[in-house]
Amino acid sequence: MANAKVIQAKQEAVEVVAAKLRESVTTVVADYRGLNVAQVTELRKQLREAGIEFQVLKNTLLRRATAAAELTELDAVLTGPTAIAFGKDDAVSAAKILNDFAKKNTALELKGAVVEGRVIGVEEIKALAELPSREGLLSMLLSVLQAPMRNFALAVKAVAEKEEQSA
């Protein structure tokens, strides 16, 4: 009887992780070997503040979850100690926080990621981390949209001032 309960608990854990893999906009896999407790605590704090869930999971559980989520390409990076960050809101923030942390703490090694259902490598994670955040992109878009109106208003004002001077 105890075995059936253990097996059911493990199956439920696999289903939970598979659901997180499917629902997350970005999932970043990293090797945390060599980080001390203070560093891991700081990393968890930064990720939590950004709304990103960070877990250390067994590779066998992750492999079963990737199979259930149809992301078996990720299995190639599931070796050694594995920590995984699930970002549900923003495609950039998880990659940015982990990449910045890895630059300061060389013990953290990025392994791979899933971005919107597509498995990517370390170089693509770093490129993604260099992108501005969602808020930064929205502010850039807003300034681009406002530029024509602002230029038109300045042109109308300049014409009005020129007519005032000539009158």
Side-chain angles (χ1 to χ4, degrees), residues 1 22 30 40 52 61-62 67 103 117 144 147 156 159 162 164:
M1 261 327 197
R22 281 188 220 99
V40 172
I52 299 163
L61 184 136
L62 276 171
K103 285 179 184 176
V144 167
V156 169
V159 169
K162 187 174 181 182
E164 270 183 23

Side-chain angles (χ1 to χ4, degrees), residues 55-94:
Q55 292 182 317
V56 173
L57 298 169
K58 290 188 174 194
N59 290 329
T60 53
L61 184 136
L62 276 171
R63 282 189 190 95
R64 290 183 179 171
T66 57
E70 298 176 1
L71 294 168
T72 54
E73 297 171 51
L74 193 61
D75 290 353
V77 298
L78 299 179
T79 57
T82 302
I84 192 163
F86 300 101
K88 293 184 180 180
D89 300 328
D90 186 4
V92 177
S93 58

Side-chain angles (χ1 to χ4, degrees), residues 75-152:
D75 290 353
V77 298
L78 299 179
T79 57
T82 302
I84 192 163
F86 300 101
K88 293 184 180 180
D89 300 328
D90 186 4
V92 177
S93 58
K96 185 180 287 295
I97 292 169
L98 286 166
N99 187 51
D100 290 347
F101 196 85
K103 285 179 184 176
K104 296 174 191 166
N105 302 282
T106 56
L108 183 71
E109 179 187 334
L110 301 176
K111 293 181 176 183
V114 179
V115 179
E116 296 178 348
R118 190 175 142 257
V119 177
I120 62 172
V122 176
E123 293 306 315
E124 291 170 295
I125 295 171
K126 291 178 180 179
L128 181 65
E130 299 301 320
L131 290 175
S133 66
R134 183 176 188 275
E135 291 78 22
L137 289 171
L138 288 174
S139 69
M140 287 180 194
L141 176 65
L142 184 61
S143 77
V144 167
L145 292 175
Q146 286 180 339
M149 291 183 285
R150 185 175 46 246
N151 292 342
F152 179 73

Side-chain angles (χ1 to χ4, degrees), residues 42-55:
E42 176 60 27
L43 177 59
R44 285 182 186 273
K45 179 179 175 254
Q46 289 177 20
L47 291 167
R48 188 174 36 253
E49 287 171 355
I52 299 163
E53 186 178 345
F54 185 73
Q55 292 182 317

Side-chain angles (χ1 to χ4, degrees), residues 21-41:
L21 284 167
R22 281 188 220 99
E23 295 167 3
S24 297
V25 176
T26 304
T27 303
V28 181
V29 179
D31 182 344
Y32 63 94
R33 198 178 0 201
L35 292 178
N36 62 36
V37 174
Q39 291 169 322
V40 172
T41 303

